[in-house]
Amino acid sequence: YGKNTHQIVEPLVTIVASPNGGNPDEIPNEDSRSFELDDLNIFAANRFTGLDRWDGGSRVAYGIRYGIYGQETQGRITIAQSYQLDKNDVFGEASGLTGNWSDYVLALNVTFSPYFDYIHKLRLDKDNFTVRRNELVTTFGPKSFKLSVGYLDINRNLDDPNEDSNDLEDRREVRTSAQYDINENWSTYSSYTRNLKDGGKSIYADAGVLYQNECVQFKVTFRKRFIRDRDIEPSTSINFGFVL
């Protein structure tokens, strides 16, 4: 397609066969309760990210990916869904995985030259195509200075999130981050996340300095968490990281 552009169409299929059954009560769940079905984990053998919860049963995940690739501009779109032979009750009611058929997941990745990237992910309700998850991230700037802006909107369709302990509340937030390379070894970075629901409140902010060469990496990060929930209080910390 064109002199310097080509297209690729990829059928995607994963078949998983494993015993049915829930997670043993003897194993405490210390993994994150937050789970979001997307174009990556829908094809995974175990869709949980941690080790305390296991994803059983037999299923098939299928989809298609279309990509167009040029010298400076490229893009690809992925659409997928999964079918579970037996209903899976280890995921929350709002996970998009209850019932035999999962919700639809879509992902769009576009790169316009080395200075602009765009990622957009959607999850559509399998019954009425309502948008349950809408996430987009744009990154722009030269290699030495990158600025990123993201938006996340999760509609879990639960009147009371406490009805299902596996589900968290709806979210609508904006995220920003920046990184500036001072020279070949030194760089600075920062990020900020703000809640757009309930009048808008700060969630998280950090800033730091990073040094790295071919042998070692060292960074100092100042972090501020604004979350207040039951026994969780806002906190401020300074973190040091050292990697050989």
Side-chain angles (χ1 to χ4, degrees), residues 201-239:
K201 297 179 180 179
S202 297
I203 298 176
Y204 176 85
D206 71 2
V209 177
L210 170 69
Y211 173 85
Q212 60 181 349
N213 56 31
E214 63 275 8
C215 298
V216 67
Q217 181 187 94
F218 176 74
K219 62 180 179 179
V220 181
T221 307
F222 172 84
R223 294 176 179 172
K224 177 70 175 179
R225 298 181 184 274
F226 301 89
I227 297 174
R228 186 187 301 274
D229 184 12
R230 294 181 288 273
D231 58 342
I232 299 177
E233 297 289 337
S235 63
T236 301
S237 62
I238 298 178
N239 299 269

Side-chain angles (χ1 to χ4, degrees), residues 5-199:
T5 304
H6 62 278
Q7 302 180 70
I8 299 177
V9 178
E10 303 174 78
L12 306 171
V13 178
T14 295
I15 299 175
V16 177
S18 63
N20 293 317
N23 288 240
D25 295 332
E26 296 80 19
I27 300 177
N29 175 29
E30 297 179 351
D31 295 338
S32 171
R33 289 174 52 204
S34 179
F35 172 84
E36 291 301 331
L37 181 66
D38 61 20
D39 60 304
L40 299 178
N41 58 30
I42 194 171
F43 292 105
N46 179 27
R47 290 168 289 192
F48 290 118
T49 57
L51 300 175
D52 292 341
R53 292 190 293 179
W54 292 92
D55 185 7
S58 300
R59 66 182 184 277
V60 55
Y62 53 90
I64 189 169
R65 177 181 295 134
Y66 166 76
I68 182 169
Y69 304 91
Q71 288 185 321
E72 293 188 349
T73 302
Q74 57 182 279
R76 66 182 185 271
I77 184 170
T78 304
I79 303 174
Q81 189 187 33
S82 69
Y83 176 78
Q84 185 99 12
L85 271 63
D86 297 293
K87 292 184 179 181
N88 195 334
D89 59 358
V90 299
F91 291 94
E93 184 65 27
S95 65
L97 290 172
T98 54
N100 297 105
W101 300 93
S102 76
D103 286 351
Y104 300 96
V105 293
L106 296 87
L108 173 67
N109 300 71
V110 180
T111 299
F112 296 101
S113 77
Y115 302 103
F116 184 80
D117 295 306
Y118 178 79
I119 300 174
H120 199 160
K121 295 192 175 187
L122 294 170
R123 177 164 66 88
L124 305 180
D125 191 291
K126 62 180 179 295
D127 297 319
N128 52 27
F129 296 101
T130 299
V131 177
R132 297 299 176 201
R133 180 191 183 204
N134 183 16
E135 181 178 11
L136 58 92
V137 179
T138 59
T139 303
F140 47 91
K143 182 180 180 180
S144 60
F145 178 71
K146 291 292 186 181
L147 180 63
S148 178
V149 179
Y151 172 78
L152 175 65
D153 187 354
I154 298 179
N155 174 14
R156 300 181 185 274
N157 194 32
L158 287 177
D159 295 331
D160 181 5
N162 294 322
E163 291 178 359
D164 191 329
S165 60
N166 289 326
D167 289 313
L168 304 180
E169 62 183 11
D170 293 349
R171 296 168 61 187
R172 187 179 301 116
E173 59 192 41
V174 63
R175 308 165 179 172
T176 61
S177 64
Q179 178 167 334
Y180 173 63
D181 296 335
I182 301 171
N183 54 39
E184 183 179 352
N185 301 115
W186 289 93
S187 61
T188 62
Y189 55 90
S190 65
S191 67
Y192 175 72
T193 303
R194 185 173 182 84
N195 184 13
L196 299 180
K197 293 173 61 66
D198 305 323

